[in-house]
Amino acid sequence: MAHSDVIQIPVADERLDATLLTPSSKIPGVLFIHGWGGSQTFDLKRAAGIAGLGCVCLTFDLRGHAATEDKRELVSRDDNLHDIMAAYDRLAAHPAVENGEIAVVGSSYGAYLGAILTGLRKVRWLALHVPALYRDDEWFKPKHQLNREVLRSYRSSYVSPEENRALAACATFAGDVLIVESEKDDFIPHSTIMSYRSAFRRAHSMTHRIIDGADHALTEKTAQRAYTSVLVNWITEMVMGARSGQSPVLRVSL
């Protein structure tokens, strides 16, 4: 059902009666969050493709990256989480975006913070690409100063939602989830992926994909194309389902 407005169009010395019809339904928004050491450039092409599906997409640079790279050694997880909340609020305020119809697409560090965001803002769809995991302590400490060996050890074993803020948010998330894992990831072990996957106890649907031969940063073009294909296909399914009024059935897939 379209919304109609009776208007007049001025031409010469006359006014023409007219009716302007616009879609009554609004469209989903998609927020992209890049990883530590990256920038919005990582997501721009994917965002452009997804915008073509009929979504409002927002990419942005976290503090300590791109133009503010000189501040990287001072930025904490708390700082970057506030960046993400501000970006979400900007996207949600767009007049074309349906209230609460927002997808969050995060990569690595951005996926970790994106998971936490679901406990602070309304998110319907959550896509996590090689999601990182961090201990809850030293939250306000500059991220650059976190001990890498401690993190490597922490990620190498199962972590429950009861002992991690990001996983706790995942445990209460009731929307649709996509997890994308890289087969040859030297930073995020399979155990971390499984900690995330098992945390989604209330998810409406769960899709888990593994990109064969891919490293953490998707260095190879074939890996980049594979991730793009997985993400775009999933977003397409979610958006088309939302527009038809039919959500995907509950499933877990590999």
Side-chain angles (χ1 to χ4, degrees), residues 177-227:
V177 180
L178 169 67
I179 299 177
V180 181
E181 178 180 1
S182 287
E183 181 189 24
K184 300 187 180 301
D185 198 325
D186 293 330
F187 292 91
I188 304 302
H190 182 67
S191 53
T192 293
I193 300 298
M194 295 310 293
S195 291
Y196 270 100
R197 176 167 165 164
S198 62
F200 287 104
R201 301 166 178 172
R202 297 180 56 200
H204 180 264
S205 72
M206 162 69 71
T207 303
H208 179 192
R209 293 286 182 262
I210 301 174
I211 302 179
D212 293 340
D215 61 9
H216 184 74
L218 300 178
T219 304
E220 300 296 328
K221 294 292 185 181
T222 53
Q224 295 172 25
R225 289 194 293 269
Y227 171 55

Side-chain angles (χ1 to χ4, degrees), residues 136-154:
D136 286 347
D137 58 358
E138 301 182 317
W139 174 256
F140 295 99
K141 185 175 184 177
K143 196 271 184 188
H144 182 78
Q145 297 178 19
L146 298 179
N147 188 299
R148 293 187 179 183
E149 292 304 318
V150 170
L151 287 176
R152 185 175 290 109
S153 175
Y154 183 65

Side-chain angles (χ1 to χ4, degrees), residues 30 32 38 41 53 59 63 84 88 91 98-99 102 125 132 136 144 147 165 176 193-194 201 212 214 218 246:
V30 183
F32 290 84
T41 303
L53 300 174
T59 66
R63 270 182 288 177
I84 293 167
Y88 174 101
L91 175 62
E98 179 72 23
N99 181 37
I102 290 180
W125 304 285
D136 286 347
H144 182 78
N147 188 299
R165 181 179 181 182
D176 299 290
I193 300 298
M194 295 310 293
R201 301 166 178 172
D212 293 340
L218 300 178
Q246 297 178 347

Side-chain angles (χ1 to χ4, degrees), residues 110-131:
Y112 162 76
L113 292 176
I116 294 175
L117 178 69
T118 65
L120 302 169
R121 295 293 190 273
K122 188 175 181 180
V123 176
R124 180 167 179 180
W125 304 285
L126 180 63
L128 304 177
H129 167 238
V130 293

Side-chain angles (χ1 to χ4, degrees), residues 26-32 47 50-51 54-59 87-88 90-94 96-105 122-126 234-235 238-239 242-243:
K26 295 186 178 182
I27 59 178
V30 183
L31 176 65
F32 290 84
I50 291 172
C55 298
V56 178
C57 296
L58 176 62
T59 66
Y88 174 101
R90 178 63 181 83
L91 175 62
H94 192 287
V97 174
E98 179 72 23
N99 181 37
E101 297 291 284
I102 290 180
V104 171
V105 180
K122 188 175 181 180
V123 176
R124 180 167 179 180
W125 304 285
L126 180 63
W234 182 78
I235 289 287
M238 298 301 111
V239 170
R243 287 179 176 171

